[in-house]
Amino acid sequence: MNPENYLYLSAVLFTIGAAGFLLRRNAIVVFMCIELMLNATNLALVTFARMHGDVGGHVFAFFVMVVAAAEVVIGLAIIMAIYRSRRSASIDDASLLRY
């Protein structure tokens, strides 16, 4: 299989994630779009590492996955706090937590 196909897939996934991040107002959907963008980046990193025969891209993709796992834990805790206090998962309600 041609490595460019993986890069095209990565670009399409990243574009879908960026569009969802910019257009949606639900916090959980925005959160999933961020994860989709991180996975697209990992696919591109692994593809470039495979093309050049280097292990550095694989290692960096592993660290991105670790950071994404930590982001999931913290992000979902914040989303749950917003939902419990406001009964909504809208991004617009997040600014109301200050009061």
Side-chain angles (χ1 to χ4, degrees), residues 32-78:
M32 288 188 324
C33 290
I34 291 171
E35 293 295 324
L36 186 63
M37 289 189 295
L38 287 173
N39 286 330
T41 305
N42 281 341
L43 180 61
L45 284 171
V46 170
T47 301
F48 281 124
R50 179 82 176 186
M51 284 171 50
H52 297 294
D54 189 23
V55 189
H58 297 286
V59 172
F60 194 67
F62 177 73
F63 283 121
V64 170
M65 283 190 270
V66 169
V67 169
E71 175 203 1
V72 166
V73 171
I74 294 170
L76 284 178
I78 292 171

Side-chain angles (χ1 to χ4, degrees), residues 5-55:
N5 293 336
Y6 292 114
L7 294 177
Y8 293 141
L9 177 64
S10 174
V12 168
L13 289 175
F14 193 87
T15 304
I16 292 170
F21 178 77
L22 294 173
L23 298 175
R24 301 301 297 247
R25 303 307 304 165
N26 189 349
I28 294 179
V29 174
V30 169
F31 197 63
M32 288 188 324
C33 290
I34 291 171
E35 293 295 324
L36 186 63
M37 289 189 295
L38 287 173
N39 286 330
T41 305
N42 281 341
L43 180 61
L45 284 171
V46 170
T47 301
F48 281 124
R50 179 82 176 186
M51 284 171 50
H52 297 294
D54 189 23
V55 189

Side-chain angles (χ1 to χ4, degrees), residues 27 77-90 93-94 97:
I78 292 171
I79 291 171
M80 291 302 296
I82 292 170
Y83 183 77
R84 285 183 181 163
S85 66
R86 300 290 175 195
R87 293 290 175 210
S88 173
S90 177
D93 293 339
L97 283 178

